[in-house]
Amino acid sequence: MSGPTGAVLAAVEAIFRIESPRIIAVVARLVRDVGIAEELAQDALVAALEQWPRDGVPDNPGAWLTAAAKHRAIDLVRRRERYARKLAEVGRDLAAAPHHLDAPADPDDIDDDLLRLVFTACHPVLSAEARIALTLRLLGGLTTPEIARAYLAPEATVAQRIVRAKRTLAAKGVAFEVPYGPEREARLGSVLEVIYLIFNEGYAATAGDDLLRPALCEDALRLARVLAALMPKEPEVHGLAALLELQASRTAARTAPDGAPVLLADQDRRRWNRLLIRRGFAALTRADAVSSGTPGPYVLQAAIAACHAQAYAYEDTDWARIAILYGMLAARAPSPVVELNRAVAVSMAEGPEPALTLVDALASEPTLRDYHLLPSVRGDLLLRLGRAPEAAAEFRRAASLARNERERGLLLKRADSAETG
């Protein structure tokens, strides 16, 4: 579709993609059911698709969508008998002040609908995989293929997890709230992982035309900062906050003016955000101050990011320390992706030959079978070893696996460069 109508429809879809997590969070607080909240948000999207091409995009489209979803929530509450008690409690104020119906009585509570949505989706009645998939869907606004890519899982499996998770939360009557005490501690690990994956999807989008999705990074950063303020004695919370601050500091330098990705070695570090770097260092210092044992995975990853932030030029990077930190991370939280990153660090500290041995050992790892960064790293190592034809083949294989158009273009360009010398 082209012309003004097509432009409006494209705007509706783009706006909904950005606003849907907040809409779902606000509505879920009213209906106490994340599955119903998502359906009502979709109803609001349908209304926008019907009305905006005719009436034009409103001045505040996010508020319009939220209001439309809330009106449907109010209608639903009024129609269904099981919400009769809720209507008696909040009916007088529902339409007038729906954002603040349940003001927290406890000073330790968090008046943040998005954070409530995260903790609800991370309830212990769900499996760890289901918690992550559901929160990425509801809070991150990611599609099922994007979640599958981010978590290295089959799409059908992820789709089943999301459907079952929503049904379980509804069947168990899980409250839409931030828990207290031991229950909060029990859910923290899943919450941290969810925020981490949301940031990663914004930092390097798994699909689409753009490398970055800044709105996701901003949501993840904000939630990490809120958690750090809420749990000042948790080193891993500060570690995650530090990691996200330091990673986000590079955002402006990660893409060229045309949107093409810029590799770490080629980034103009003068464009790195020094304020975010200072915030990251401060959060890492707080993590160290409250730590009483071996650093956790997020603290270790933040320490790796700090090594990059401390180097004013790529050549000044302390790769030996980064390789050691990745070794500690592999021991603390082993995974094929960590091993792949460790191989990159080893290649910079010791040379491409030992690193290639590490990468080849990962070739049979099932979770990396369709992971484009495995052949990408292997191609880089082969190129440094003077094996250009093999490197070009690896870059092309990586491009065939990449779902992000910007990454695919960069990999094909590297393949062409390797072939032509």
Side-chain angles (χ1 to χ4, degrees), residues 107-390:
D108 196 31
D109 201 358
I110 310 170
D111 189 16
D112 190 302
D113 287 329
L114 284 173
L115 196 58
R116 285 187 173 88
L117 184 58
V118 175
F119 270 92
T120 300
C122 291
H123 197 280
V125 297
L126 305 177
S127 68
E129 294 82 4
R131 298 172 207 171
I132 292 166
L134 181 61
T135 308
L136 286 170
R137 176 79 179 114
L138 298 179
L139 180 74
L142 307 190
T143 64
T144 298
E146 288 171 342
I147 298 170
R149 190 71 173 172
Y151 208 57
L152 302 178
E155 291 181 19
T157 301
V158 170
Q160 290 175 350
R161 286 174 185 166
I162 292 171
V163 171
R164 291 172 181 169
K166 290 189 287 189
R167 289 175 180 170
T168 299
L169 290 176
K172 298 291 186 180
V174 172
F176 186 66
E177 63 184 8
V178 178
Y180 299 102
E183 188 180 356
R184 180 182 293 174
E185 301 293 334
R187 291 198 225 172
L188 181 59
S190 290
V191 170
L192 293 179
E193 186 171 9
V194 165
I195 294 173
Y196 177 66
L197 287 174
I198 291 171
F199 180 88
N200 279 351
E201 180 59 32
Y203 191 69
T206 55
D209 297 330
D210 299 316
L211 179 69
L212 305 177
R213 294 173 61 187
L216 288 181
C217 290
E218 291 168 5
D219 276 341
L221 263 174
R222 184 176 63 82
L223 290 171
R225 290 166 182 167
V226 170
L227 275 181
L230 174 70
M231 301 175 143
K233 296 182 180 180
E234 289 289 340
E236 278 291 81
V237 174
H238 294 301
L240 178 64
L243 174 61
L244 302 195
E245 301 281 8
L246 292 169
Q247 294 288 77
S249 72
R250 307 179 203 165
T251 299
R254 293 187 65 241
T255 54
D258 63 354
V262 178
L263 297 174
L264 180 64
D266 301 324
Q267 290 177 16
D268 181 356
R269 300 192 175 205
R270 293 172 298 181
R271 300 187 67 197
W272 286 9
N273 188 312
R274 307 313 298 183
L275 173 61
L276 291 181
I277 289 175
R278 288 194 295 273
R279 290 181 67 110
F281 286 161
L284 190 55
T285 298
R286 287 192 290 271
D288 291 338
V290 298
S291 179
S292 58
T294 304
Y298 294 112
V299 172
L300 288 169
Q301 290 179 78
I304 292 168
C307 288
H308 290 294
Q310 288 169 335
Y312 284 96
Y314 185 75
E315 297 74 17
D316 299 333
T317 306
D318 189 349
W319 287 107
R321 174 166 171 72
I322 291 176
I324 291 171
L325 289 168
Y326 267 120
M328 295 172 63
L329 181 60
R332 186 73 169 79
S335 84
V337 173
V338 170
E339 288 294 342
L340 183 62
N341 287 329
R342 184 169 77 89
V344 173
V346 168
S347 78
M348 300 304 298
E350 304 175 21
E353 191 73 49
L356 185 60
T357 301
L358 295 174
V359 171
D360 286 345
L362 298 170
S364 60
E365 176 59 47
T367 57
L368 296 183
R369 185 180 297 113
D370 298 323
Y371 191 49
H372 70 286
L373 292 182
L374 178 61
S376 175
V377 169
R378 194 169 190 275
D380 184 66
L381 297 176
L382 290 169
L383 190 62
R384 290 168 58 190
L385 288 168
R387 298 159 61 178
E390 294 174 78

Side-chain angles (χ1 to χ4, degrees), residues 49-70:
L49 290 171
E50 293 173 348
Q51 296 182 39
W52 292 7
R54 181 187 68 235
D55 303 334
V57 179
D59 292 337
N60 192 334
W64 191 100
L65 287 166
T66 301
K70 285 192 294 185

